[in-house]
Amino acid sequence: MAIVLRLDRVMADRKMSLNELADRVGISNVNLSNIKTGKISAIRFSTLNAICSTLKCQPGDIFEYVDEGQNG
Amino acid sequence: MSDTLTKLNKMSRYGGWAMKVALAVMIVAATAAPIALAATYAFPDILNDIDPPVVIGELRATLAALTAAAVIGAAISYYIVRMFENIRRHNTPFREEVVEDLRLVAKLLIVFTFAVPIVGWIAAWLADVSAESIFEFNLLTLFAAFLVYLLSLIFSYGTELQKEADETL
């Protein structure tokens, strides 16, 4: 997957823990571990809206495109 | 957990209990039928005293077919119990294990359709009696196998959708 979730960087900048973000956004514990283990393959706009609203950031701040050809 | 999943868990528990009872009955039948069959060979004179008279050959063929039916029926019951337990354990019916159990039940129903009359015919042939009027292929179990297989395909698609939902933040 070339799209990488950089949520941890934005959370570190805002000094917010994953549990606190999950409580505010309404993410389940299952999705919490899925974020950590990289098993997320899609995100709802409503969840993205809640994350950006909570972290006061732009969608582009939490996503990064990594060209897999350059990594190979 | 949604209301639907709560109802599904409850129904799976009741269904599991009912199938465990059916499994127990099948195991008893699968044990008793061959014992009775062996008894017809060990004590043939007892059957001669019964009124109305029993055709020993037909009785043996019927017991042989009943044994086959009970063994296959026990296997079907076991996989249905396992399917319900998987649904309750994972709180979703859309799992590969459930799909696999449904496919096994469909295959066993096909085996049941052909194995029971064939065993009866072989036993009747060995007992030198006519079995054409006793044993015949039951197309209903074949149709049930088709329906269960169709259900497994639906659940397989549901498993793919569940995986997508689980991976969606």
Side-chain angles (χ1 to χ4, degrees), chain A:
Chain A
M1 170 72 75
I3 299 291
V4 179
L5 202 58
R6 297 296 187 197
L7 198 55
D8 49 345
R9 289 182 190 171
V10 181
M11 284 163 50
D13 285 343
R14 307 291 190 273
K15 295 182 174 53
M16 185 176 291
S17 69
L18 198 56
N19 283 327
E20 185 182 350
L21 179 67
D23 282 339
R24 291 196 189 184
V25 171
I27 306 173
S28 67
N29 285 337
V30 171
N31 276 337
L32 267 180
S33 60
N34 283 345
I35 293 173
K36 286 181 184 174
T37 56
K39 286 184 183 172
I40 297 295
S41 62
I43 184 168
R44 293 189 181 89
F45 279 148
S46 57
T47 306
L48 184 58
N49 180 63
I51 289 173
C52 291
S53 172
T54 302
L55 294 176
K56 294 182 176 28
C57 65
Q58 292 294 317
D61 296 336
I62 58 175
F63 294 111
E64 182 179 338
Y65 173 74
V66 177
D67 191 341
E68 289 168 340
Q70 288 179 359
N71 283 341

Side-chain angles (χ1 to χ4, degrees), chain B residues 122-150:
Chain B
I122 291 173
W125 176 72
L126 290 173
D128 201 23
V129 293
S130 170
E132 288 170 3
S133 61
I134 304 174
F135 306 111
E136 57 187 16
F137 291 121
N138 188 347
L139 292 179
L140 274 180
T141 53
L142 203 58
F143 184 62
F146 168 72
L147 289 179
V148 171
Y149 180 70
L150 201 58

Side-chain angles (χ1 to χ4, degrees), chain B residues 16-109:
Chain B
W17 288 341
M19 289 315 299
K20 281 177 184 171
V21 169
L23 177 60
V25 169
M26 296 290 174
I27 290 173
V28 167
T31 308
I35 291 174
L37 179 60
T40 64
Y41 285 98
F43 310 107
D45 295 335
I46 294 178
L47 295 171
N48 292 333
D49 299 332
I50 295 176
D51 186 33
V54 173
V55 179
I56 295 182
E58 287 183 5
L59 179 63
R60 286 171 179 164
T62 301
L63 287 171
L66 181 62
T67 303
V71 167
I72 299 171
I76 291 173
S77 302
Y78 168 75
Y79 286 116
I80 294 176
V81 166
R82 197 171 80 165
M83 182 188 72
F84 283 135
E85 285 181 352
N86 273 326
I87 290 173
R88 286 191 57 225
R89 186 180 309 126
H90 299 288
N91 286 327
T92 175
F94 301 120
R95 300 260 319 171
E96 277 303 325
E97 297 93 339
V98 175
V99 173
E100 188 55 36
D101 286 339
L102 280 171
R103 288 198 183 133
L104 281 170
V105 168
K107 288 175 188 170
L108 285 170
L109 281 169

